[in-house]
Amino acid sequence: KDFTAMIVELTDIDGEGVRYKMLDYHDGQFSSMSRTTAYTCTAMVELFLDDNIDLKGVIPPEAIGCEEECFDFIIDYLKMRNVIWVKENI
């Protein structure tokens, strides 16, 4: 059995920041690493299939994450599959 842990800290030029934390475990069927990576990937595919991405050409994932609606969609998609990100102001 496995688990996946991640902390992401973001700070703007004024020093205001936010921290996202995630801790996920094997769910009895899928490893946590496959859950956290594959579900994120399928969320991105749904964004493209539903025409929610206006960017063209080769698009790095961080460009999609900068779009608030896309970011929220991915976080919600993961939450529906019990991959929970917790947001904290820092």
Side-chain angles (χ1 to χ4, degrees), residues 57-76:
V58 177
I59 307 166
E62 57 270 20
I64 295 170
C66 288
E67 300 291 327
E68 188 173 356
E69 287 181 22
C70 294
F71 179 85
D72 290 341
F73 175 85
I74 293 167
I75 294 297
D76 291 342

Side-chain angles (χ1 to χ4, degrees), residues 72-87:
D72 290 341
F73 175 85
I74 293 167
I75 294 297
D76 291 342
Y77 189 94
L78 292 170
K79 185 176 183 179
M80 288 188 299
R81 288 150 183 83
N82 292 319
V83 177
I84 309 297
W85 284 90
V86 176
K87 180 181 176 181

Side-chain angles (χ1 to χ4, degrees), residues 3-53:
F3 70 92
T4 304
M6 182 181 283
I7 297 173
V8 178
E9 291 186 0
L10 307 163
T11 307
D12 65 17
I13 58 174
D14 297 324
E16 299 293 319
V18 66
R19 176 184 297 129
Y20 289 91
K21 298 191 296 187
M22 181 269 303
L23 178 60
D24 187 69
Y25 296 93
H26 189 285
D27 70 355
Q29 183 176 8
F30 298 109
S31 71
S32 66
M33 186 56 72
S34 66
R35 290 166 37 78
T36 57
T37 57
Y39 290 154
T40 304
C41 181
T42 56
M44 300 277 274
V45 169
E46 285 202 25
L47 284 169
F48 279 103
L49 290 175
D50 293 340
D51 265 345
N52 291 320
I53 308 268

